[in-house]
Amino acid sequence: MTRTADLALRHAETVNGGTLPGLVTCASGISPSGPIHLGNFRELITPHLVADEIKRRGIPCEHILSWDDFDRFRRVPKNLAGVDDSWERYIGMPLTSVPPPAGSPHASWADHFKAPLLEAMAATGIEVREISQTEQYRAGAYREPVLLAVRERTAIDKVLDQYRTLEAVEAARQKTTGKGKGGKGGGKAATLTEEQAAAATEAERGSGAALEDDGSEGKAGYFPYKPFCTVCGTDFTTVTAYDDDSHELTYDCTKCGHTETVDLDTFTNGKLVWKVDWPMRWAHEHVMFEPSGVDHQSPGSSFVVGKDLAPIFGWERPVGPMYAFVGIAGMAKMSSSKGGVPIPNDALEVMEAPVLRWIYARRRPNQSFDVAFGPELQRLYDEWDALGRKVADGTAQSGDLAAHLRATSTATATLPATPRPMPFRTIASVIDVTQGDEDQAVRILSDLDPDNPVESTDDLRPRLDCAERWMLGYVPAEDRTVVRTAPDTELLGSLDEQQRDSLRLLVDGLDDHWSLDGLTHLVYGVPKIQRGIDPEAKVKDPELSAAQRAFFALVYRLLVSKDTGPRLPTLLLAVGADRVRTLLGV
Ligand SMILES: [Zn+2]
């Protein structure tokens, strides 16, 4: 992010004639057409982190979030299609004019999908100035650039035409290959592999942008502006005539048959086509940094075309890296009730806010990664805690230190942290074994370190809640731990003298070792004692290791009827000394 911020500042100086402008503007643009998932979150958090880095340097900077809520409702989502065909009638209307899904407390389709992201932003310290495209267009804020685009439609058409055929795209691609476009990964558009290009085309098709009329389907020649029909509210309209002197525009609606002549000096119920709308807004908002997904940077796509269109509006295309896809790990096993693509709020159910920031902040934007919802989540917390210890004792590398700072704070605030960050996997194991009985879980967690007991459960939050939601909501039943209710008499009856001896040594030591540390020493020590080795001695001996593994497996089988489980000291604490004695038959 340091280098990306450097790049944004250099560009800001260039467009401002050599000195930094009074305000550096970084932008995000998001369409609230459906759930805004963890991949879309990168569109938001990348400019946030860059703007934040610039602010930390004491340079005035603003992060704007343009809501593309004046976009058309493109299609009925799969879960509604065929179930409720009445949604078909909204296709072609602005997202702000479509009602929300059934049961939603929000005013519109757009508001319904904006709300969870706004919550996630508040939780993760992301501050923006929101701009609603519906409000902007309807208020006439873009009147001048709309008239300009219409006046310059021949020039716009000429630019777009260069990209319309595949041959032209290929020619432009050859010409720009190897020429840096600025930004890490910014030049990637020119060097996409065939596979990436196919994925990009697929993604753009998915977002609808590739299919959107670029203005060339009009009956009055190329026209970059599309009115929504006054009668039916959709954009199934065709401009049939335009008078450059009076600004009178006539359109036909192919959906309801309405024909109307409006005056573009006063009419506000329409918008520029997407490929023209985006560069217009760069100019209107003076955007200097805006990243985009691979879908917008493929040859002939909006970011590429925008380079040539922005100057028509008197601006330069902002710099911004292409950000890579974000995948999801561990969802295959997720409980079916969660269904669908996870959104940032789903991640915040199981991740502390700084951890969620960290998984984005520690990667370069052009690196793809997976957000973990499966067992990998425990390793993620281990890594996070290890980094925290390095930061605390001053041994963290500078890059890691910067990522930690960006994760735990912003230029203006420190994010809430868990005061007593016990290992996530330990808390999860305790919750697993106690079946979600929180009082019991807290008692056991207090036993982990008797010299430093847990004073208040508040000290364990939010991590305790994250671990609880993860264990109870995301870990599949077959991976949960079920402690036996009665001793396994058959197994106990088959043990040899050496095995029985090991269990006796363990049980006899329980009371004196009743803490996480103590029990760790005890369980590793029992096989040592049996072999005549000092339990405190550090020994590397393959035979001893094998004996320890066999001993652990025996204890697991007797306690939970499996060969493995939560770490043994944690499991013993969670099961409780009395029940351990009963199940081990000693
Ligand atoms: Zn109509």
Side-chain angles (χ1 to χ4, degrees):
M1 291 303 159
T2 306
R3 281 196 287 163
T4 310
D6 289 343
L7 187 84
L9 289 172
R10 265 207 311 279
H11 179 75
E13 278 175 357
T14 306
V15 295
N16 195 49
T19 55
L20 272 180
L23 185 69
V24 177
T25 304
C26 301
S28 297
I30 293 181
S31 174
S33 57
I36 298 161
H37 54 72
L38 286 157
N40 308 133
F41 193 55
R42 213 166 192 181
E43 168 73 34
L44 182 70
I45 197 164
T46 304
H48 163 73
L49 292 168
V50 168
D52 193 59
E53 167 67 22
I54 293 172
K55 286 181 203 167
R56 284 178 202 261
R57 298 183 193 180
I59 298 165
C61 184
E62 185 175 53
H63 179 192
I64 59 172
L65 166 57
S66 279
W67 285 114
D68 290 320
D69 54 13
F70 211 34
D71 282 7
R72 69 197 304 256
F73 183 63
R74 290 195 171 97
R75 57 174 173 265
V76 182
K78 280 198 194 96
N79 61 332
L80 292 175
V83 179
D84 184 355
D85 289 334
S86 64
W87 287 93
E88 293 281 342
R89 81 180 109 134
Y90 300 116
I91 290 176
M93 289 188 190
L95 295 167
T96 39
S97 300
V98 178
S104 168
H106 301 286
S108 70
W109 188 269
D111 283 355
H112 176 79
F113 290 106
K114 284 179 189 180
L117 186 69
L118 291 170
E119 270 177 42
M121 285 163 61
T124 50
I126 298 177
E127 288 174 358
V128 298
R129 176 162 64 89
E130 289 180 76
I131 300 173
S132 157
Q133 293 308 315
T134 302
E135 287 173 18
Q136 291 284 98
Y137 271 108
R138 290 248 165 93
Y142 300 143
R143 170 111 43 229
E144 287 309 317
V146 164
L147 289 170
L148 172 72
V150 169
R151 197 162 63 238
E152 295 292 334
R153 59 191 182 277
T154 308
I156 292 171
D157 188 33
K158 222 173 123 191
V159 168
L160 292 175
D161 201 44
Q162 291 168 10
Y163 293 94
R164 279 196 186 109
T165 65
L166 277 176
E167 287 80 7
V169 168
E170 190 52 36
R173 177 172 161 180
Q174 297 294 339
K175 222 172 89 187
T176 54
T177 299
K179 199 172 107 192
K181 289 213 196 71
K184 286 193 230 50
K188 280 281 158 60
T191 54
L192 289 176
T193 65
E194 211 168 299
E195 199 180 320
Q196 285 170 318
T201 307
E202 195 50 46
E204 186 151 26
R205 205 170 280 147
S207 72
L211 294 177
E212 185 166 296
D213 175 13
D214 69 1
S216 56
E217 291 170 11
K219 286 180 187 159
Y222 177 77
F223 209 78
Y225 180 88
K226 219 169 169 43
F228 289 104
C229 172
T230 307
V231 173
C232 73
T234 74
D235 70 348
F236 289 102
T237 54
T238 310
V239 175
T240 53
Y242 181 71
D243 185 324
D244 277 293
D245 296 323
S246 68
H247 302 164
E248 277 187 353
L249 176 154
T250 305
Y251 70 84
D252 283 349
C253 176
T254 57
K255 178 157 178 163
C256 73
H258 181 64
T259 296
E260 187 178 9
T261 297
V262 297
D263 180 355
L264 269 195
D265 288 320
T266 52
F267 183 77
T268 56
N269 193 30
K271 71 188 285 288
L272 293 171
V273 295
W274 164 245
K275 280 181 180 171
V276 182
D277 178 81
W278 200 14
M280 179 278 287
R281 280 191 267 145
W282 291 335
H284 188 81
E285 302 293 349
H286 291 186
V287 175
M288 294 150 199
F289 177 86
E290 182 167 359
S292 53
V294 65
D295 54 329
H296 284 145
Q297 294 203 350
S298 57
S301 68
S302 40
F303 191 76
V304 174
V305 174
K307 185 181 195 314
D308 295 335
L309 292 182
I312 292 174
F313 295 97
W315 196 246
E316 273 186 50
R317 184 180 70 180
V319 290
M322 175 194 77
Y323 54 84
F325 292 120
V326 174
I328 304 300
M331 287 290 286
K333 286 185 152 192
M334 218 168 98
S335 69
S336 59
S337 65
K338 297 274 172 189
V341 188
I343 61 173
N345 276 353
D346 294 325
L348 287 168
E349 281 209 323
V350 298
M351 279 178 211
E352 296 169 359
V355 175
L356 182 61
R357 287 176 64 93
W358 184 57
I359 59 177
Y360 289 85
R362 68 175 168 160
R363 307 270 187 217
R364 289 198 307 275
N366 63 355
Q367 285 181 302
S368 57
F369 64 89
D370 287 343
V371 180
F373 283 88
E376 308 85 357
L377 181 65
Q378 301 180 88
R379 199 165 57 238
L380 177 70
Y381 270 99
D382 287 345
E383 289 173 30
W384 171 245
D385 289 345
L387 174 59
R389 285 190 294 273
K390 280 188 187 170
V391 170
D393 68 20
T395 59
Q397 305 274 332
S398 65
D400 292 341
L401 190 65
H404 187 267
L405 183 69
R406 289 178 184 127
T408 52
S409 65
T410 68
T412 53
T414 299
L415 278 101
T418 302
R420 182 97 186 257
M422 284 186 177
F424 181 86
R425 63 171 74 240
T426 304
I427 304 177
S429 296
V430 170
I431 287 163
D432 181 20
V433 175
T434 55
Q435 311 278 338
D437 180 335
E438 196 177 289
D439 290 342
Q440 205 194 339
V442 170
R443 264 201 309 279
I444 295 164
L445 290 168
S446 258
D447 278 348
L448 296 180
D449 185 1
D451 295 337
N452 188 11
V454 176
E455 302 283 340
S456 153
T457 52
D458 287 348
D459 290 346
L460 300 175
R461 290 180 210 283
R463 189 171 289 198
L464 177 66
D465 301 318
C466 290
E468 194 168 323
R469 285 188 290 253
W470 180 69
M471 184 49 73
L472 303 179
Y474 289 78
V475 178
E478 66 266 27
D479 293 345
R480 296 283 308 273
T481 302
V482 181
V483 179
R484 293 187 61 89
T485 49
D488 184 343
T489 46
E490 194 178 326
L491 178 56
L492 285 170
S494 72
L495 301 182
D496 60 27
E497 187 49 42
Q498 181 267 341
Q499 287 172 312
R500 274 199 290 274
D501 182 52
S502 67
L503 296 178
R504 251 190 316 269
L505 283 167
L506 173 64
V507 167
D508 288 348
L510 286 180
D511 288 344
D512 288 345
H513 295 83
W514 200 248
S515 69
L516 197 56
D517 257 8
L519 289 172
T520 304
H521 277 92
L522 180 63
V523 297
Y524 283 96
V526 165
K528 290 183 186 169
I529 295 167
Q530 286 193 295
R531 303 169 83 80
I533 301 169
D534 173 5
E536 294 307 314
K538 287 215 187 303
V539 186
K540 272 205 171 163
D541 173 5
E543 279 186 37
L544 174 63
S545 300
Q548 283 167 334
R549 277 198 301 277
F551 171 59
F552 294 174
L554 173 63
V555 178
Y556 280 124
R557 281 205 303 276
L558 288 167
L559 296 180
V560 299
S561 308
K562 286 190 204 173
D563 283 344
T564 59
R567 286 177 179 176
L568 204 46
T570 313
L571 179 64
L572 294 168
L573 282 170
V575 173
D578 288 344
R579 199 161 165 205
V580 170
R581 284 188 194 97
T582 307
L583 293 175
L584 298 189
V586 184

